[in-house]
């Protein structure tokens, strides 16, 4: 399923992830079940079917909590936050990503923490809390650089450019945009 997802063959990815989920449930492998549910949610997100993505991601979250897998719980909450952002449900982004970020801080998961900070910044920007959004985005940028995650770094720089542009700070916006573009070009 993952191979098909990565090559953009999303319908085939769904088919294989559903088959894997069926097998995981049949043999009682709860951790695999949670992973399969999360993967289905991510494929539905890629298909722009946010409502279906939420259904699978909530199921993944429930299983992750049942088996007390804190890392997967944090990732499931972060994935839900991403889908809620696409759906324009900003308060749900804040709730999901805040819970995930708290778990990440407890278990030392900096990768997911950086993504949560980025998503929270987007949600706060959409609700008009610009200073809070900038603060979270700067935290995300710092974390992404610390762990060497170029994807999150580039996305965060781009988002900082958008915030500064919306505030009329064109020179800063341009600097952030150029830095973002440079990283995107280096990581193609």
């Amino acid at each position: 399923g993952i191979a098909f997802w990565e090559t953009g063959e999303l319908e085939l990815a769904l088919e294989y992830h559903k088959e894997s989920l069926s097998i995981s449930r049949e043999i009682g492998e709860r951790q695999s079940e949670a992973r399969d549910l999360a993967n289905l949610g991510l494929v539905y997100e890629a298909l722009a079917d946010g409502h279906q993505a939420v259904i699978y991601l909530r199921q993944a979250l429930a299983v992750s909590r049942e088996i007390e897998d804190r890392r997967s719980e944090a990732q499931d909450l972060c994935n839900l936050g991403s889908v809620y952002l696409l759906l324009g449900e900003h308060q749900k982004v804040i709730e999901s990503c805040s819970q995930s970020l708290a778990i990440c801080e407890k278990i030392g998961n900096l990768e997911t923490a950086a993504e949560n900070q980025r998503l929270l910044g987007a949600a706060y920007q959409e609700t008009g809390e610009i200073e809070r959004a900038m603060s979270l985005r700067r935290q995300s940028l710092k974390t992404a650089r610390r762990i060497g995650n170029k994807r999150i770094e580039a996305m965060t720089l781009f988002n900082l450019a958008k915030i500064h542009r919306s505030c009329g700070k064109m020179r800063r916006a341009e600097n952030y945009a150029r830095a973002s573009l440079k990283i995107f070009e280096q990581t193609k």
Side-chain angles (χ1 to χ4, degrees):
I2 292 171
F4 287 117
W5 180 50
E6 289 177 351
T7 60
E9 297 179 70
L10 300 177
E11 294 300 328
L12 282 172
L14 281 177
E15 192 177 313
Y16 279 92
H17 284 306
K18 285 179 180 178
E19 186 176 327
S20 181
L21 175 61
S22 177
I23 293 167
S24 295
R25 285 179 168 163
E26 187 176 310
I27 64 173
E29 179 50 56
R30 301 289 280 159
Q31 192 158 25
S32 294
E33 178 183 355
R35 185 189 64 240
D36 294 333
L37 289 163
N39 286 337
L40 281 162
L42 294 173
V43 174
Y44 278 111
E45 179 184 18
L47 286 167
D49 188 345
H51 298 290
Q52 198 66 27
V54 167
I55 290 169
Y56 280 101
L57 290 169
R58 282 184 181 162
Q59 289 178 51
L61 177 61
V63 174
S64 293
R65 285 178 170 162
E66 284 174 26
I67 63 174
E68 299 179 1
D69 181 345
R70 299 291 278 169
R71 181 171 287 277
S72 293
E73 180 182 357
Q75 188 62 57
D76 295 338
L77 285 162
C78 183
N79 290 338
L80 275 167
S82 179
V83 174
Y84 287 137
L85 187 63
L86 292 175
L87 293 172
E89 296 183 32
H90 303 111
Q91 192 54 45
K92 289 183 178 181
V93 175
I94 292 167
E95 291 167 11
S96 294
C97 290
S98 294
Q99 288 177 46
S100 179
L101 186 56
I103 295 167
C104 289
E105 289 170 353
K106 285 181 184 173
I107 65 172
N109 183 345
L110 296 177
E111 189 95 13
T112 304
E115 184 66 10
N116 280 304
Q117 292 160 339
R118 189 186 71 76
L119 292 168
L120 283 164
Y124 282 116
Q125 182 177 352
E126 291 297 321
T127 61
E129 294 187 53
I130 302 302
E131 289 303 318
R132 196 169 194 178
M134 277 198 229
S135 174
L136 282 157
R137 294 252 167 89
R138 284 191 293 267
Q139 288 174 32
S140 177
L141 181 60
K142 182 179 177 181
T143 305
R145 285 178 171 162
R146 180 175 167 201
I147 61 174
N149 186 313
K150 294 295 186 184
R151 182 189 66 81
I152 294 174
E153 180 181 357
M155 291 171 64
T156 302
L157 285 164
F158 179 74
N159 291 327
L160 281 164
K162 289 188 339 186
I163 290 176
H164 282 86
R165 188 186 70 206
S166 72
C167 294
K169 299 176 182 176
M170 302 313 280
R171 182 173 298 279
R172 278 191 175 171
E174 185 179 337
N175 290 338
Y176 282 122
R178 285 177 196 250
S180 175
L181 183 59
K182 183 177 178 181
I183 294 169
F184 276 126
E185 287 174 346
Q186 290 172 348
T187 58
K188 281 189 208 177

